[in-house]
Amino acid sequence: MFNPMSLMLAGAAFRLIGFAGVALASTGFSYPLIALPLLLIGLGGGLSNPMAISVMLSATDKAYSGIASGVATATGQLGASIGVAIFGAFLADAHRIADGTRIAATLSIASTALIILIVWNLRRQRDRAA
């Protein structure tokens, strides 16, 4: 069986590559060119998000697992909503859609890189403790 933290890192890496592809594809904006990076972003999110909840629930007392799961789901939805709103704000001007896409993808690259660093550090700490 796979380690959840390894799957989280793999998913975050897929998202990072996908966001970098979106940032690069936005210079010559075309839908076919941006399809593969968007596929990688979706694949990475689908791979890492359930694992993040699994890791969080494994560190939570069973009596509070329902609350922890609800908080994880609610914060994930809130973060996604805020991300869509910010991304939409960057894309609001039809004449500057490539610039907005590049800015939004760059912010996503930075936040995904931060996630990778945090999970990598947590994994190292967990391996040392074991």
Side-chain angles (χ1 to χ4, degrees), residues 1 6 22 32 39-40 50 59 75 82 84 88 91-92 94 102-103 125 129:
M1 197 55 128
S6 296
V22 167
L39 181 65
L40 288 173
T75 55
I82 291 170
V84 167
L91 300 179
R102 196 169 25 267
I103 292 168
Q125 288 176 359

Side-chain angles (χ1 to χ4, degrees), residues 65-103:
S65 62
I67 293 170
S69 176
V71 168
T73 301
T75 55
Q77 292 297 319
L78 179 64
S81 299
I82 291 170
V84 167
I86 291 171
F87 195 78
F90 286 132
L91 300 179
D93 185 0
H95 301 293
R96 297 181 50 158
I97 193 168
D99 292 336
T101 302
R102 196 169 25 267
I103 292 168

Side-chain angles (χ1 to χ4, degrees), residues 28-54:
F29 196 80
S30 71
Y31 291 110
L33 189 61
I34 213 164
L36 180 61
L38 290 177
L39 181 65
L40 288 173
I41 293 168
L43 177 66
L47 186 61
S48 63
N49 291 348
M51 292 302 108
I53 292 174
S54 174

